[in-house]
Amino acid sequence: MADINIVQEHSLSNEAARAAAQKVADRLAGEYGLACRWDGDVLRFARSGVEGALTLGEQRAAMRIKLGLFASAFAPTIEAKVAESMRKVFA
């Protein structure tokens, strides 16, 4: 199993940060088939072999992804794609 942790600083309002987080979630859902749901300021996502959360805070967004055995083989690729997506939407 592999864990991915990504923190992205931002200067967005709470509403804009939530919209940015939703964009990241929509991309992840489309690319990796994840089911996403909001739980307060935490966007949770999951599918077989993958689970995680994107937590919004003041001026930062923190993503935690836990990959199962099969998905962990793709951890570097997944981490690079997610980090790039977060950089783009939270810029």
Side-chain angles (χ1 to χ4, degrees):
M1 300 215 1
D3 288 346
I4 297 172
N5 293 294
I6 301 167
V7 176
Q8 179 64 49
E9 302 295 326
H10 68 79
S11 59
L12 303 174
S13 68
N14 288 342
E15 288 179 10
R18 191 176 177 101
Q22 189 63 54
K23 284 182 186 178
V24 172
D26 292 344
R27 288 181 185 168
L28 291 173
E31 192 163 341
Y32 299 106
L34 299 172
C36 303
R37 68 177 170 78
W38 283 99
D39 184 11
D41 286 336
V42 179
L43 180 60
R44 301 191 187 282
F45 51 89
R47 68 164 251 184
S48 179
V50 179
E51 69 175 41
L54 174 56
T55 304
L56 297 177
E58 297 261 340
Q59 300 182 344
R60 74 181 233 149
M63 170 107 46
R64 177 195 48 80
I65 304 170
K66 290 187 177 219
L67 301 174
L69 185 61
F70 177 73
S72 65
F74 302 101
T77 302
I78 293 169
E79 183 171 11
K81 285 184 177 184
V82 172
E84 180 63 22
S85 182
M86 286 182 66
R87 269 192 298 277
K88 286 180 181 177
V89 301
F90 284 103

